Amino acid sequence: MNMTPKTTERRDEILSVAERHMRAGGYDAISFREIAAAIGIKSASVHYHFPQKSDLGEAVVTRYAARVQAFLGVPDDPAETPAIRLARLCAVYQTALLKEDLNCLCCVLGAESKDLPDPVAEAVAEFFTTLLDWAGRALENNPRLPPAYVISALQGAMVLATATGRRALFTQTVTALTACLSE
């Protein structure tokens, strides 16, 4: 597909709308018709960019993962402390929950991985594998903060805060995680 600036812009619009829908309601929350209506195009235009729903889902996850990785940056930059890196990781989730009022895309999709098409499930698994690796390196393999503990604490706190409407539960978790580095 020859991507002109206009088609690239349209593709990004489709991905953005699909991501918002998926972050709010999971993979089944995306519909080519609803995405098209939200943008003001025909659903055939969505199919032009993404022939199958799984193509769209995989592209959404891949783009989201790249954006998160770009924000996190280099996990072992010697100019930064583990505390700075942990704060940046927490900021990914804080921004999503407290500023955007959304959940982490891969948190939502991770819960339904067994029911996702293989390309989408594989992209979600790759997101978490990369994130776990980043956290291990960023926190210098601190035995008090294993990567799985950190990621699951942030993801779980996000789910609890969303389900209960108590954002303070998330903030408490961030405070507890950061305290582990200062003790």
Side-chain angles (χ1 to χ4, degrees):
M1 175 185 328
N2 185 11
M3 298 290 275
T4 66
K6 182 153 177 80
T7 58
T8 300
E9 183 180 314
R10 180 68 71 208
R11 185 178 193 278
D12 287 342
E13 277 184 286
I14 293 166
L15 289 170
S16 293
V17 171
E19 180 182 325
R20 279 193 306 277
H21 284 252
M22 290 169 71
R23 288 174 73 181
Y27 182 74
D28 288 336
I30 57 172
S31 146
F32 281 31
R33 282 189 190 142
E34 289 177 9
I35 292 168
I39 298 171
I41 60 175
K42 295 180 180 181
S43 64
S45 297
V46 179
H47 283 282
Y48 169 78
H49 293 282
F50 305 98
Q52 303 293 319
K53 185 175 176 178
S54 60
D55 298 324
L56 176 58
E58 181 182 15
V60 169
V61 173
T62 300
R63 186 180 83 147
Y64 178 82
R67 201 169 62 242
V68 169
Q69 279 303 127
F71 180 80
L72 291 175
V74 179
D76 45 12
D77 181 346
E80 295 181 335
T81 65
I84 290 170
R85 296 177 200 131
L86 178 61
R88 197 163 49 247
L89 176 61
C90 291
V92 169
Y93 293 94
Q94 287 170 315
T95 299
L97 182 67
L98 304 177
K99 292 183 182 171
E100 299 170 350
D101 197 29
L102 292 168
N103 286 301
C104 164
L105 174 68
C106 291
C107 179
V108 173
L109 296 179
E112 53 187 30
S113 281
K114 289 183 180 181
D115 298 322
L116 294 174
D118 288 342
V120 181
E122 290 165 9
V124 171
E126 178 63 27
F127 169 83
F128 282 117
T129 299
T130 302
L131 190 59
L132 288 166
D133 177 62
W134 185 92
R137 292 172 53 203
L139 301 175
E140 299 175 350
N141 294 309
N142 185 322
R144 297 184 65 191
L145 287 173
Y149 174 80
V150 173
I151 303 305
S152 60
L154 290 168
Q155 297 267 335
M158 178 175 271
V159 170
L160 282 173
T162 299
T164 64
R166 295 169 51 202
R167 301 296 195 235
L169 294 172
F170 181 82
T171 305
Q172 290 168 3
T173 300
V174 170
T175 300
L177 286 172
T178 54
C180 288
L181 286 178
S182 62
E183 293 176 356

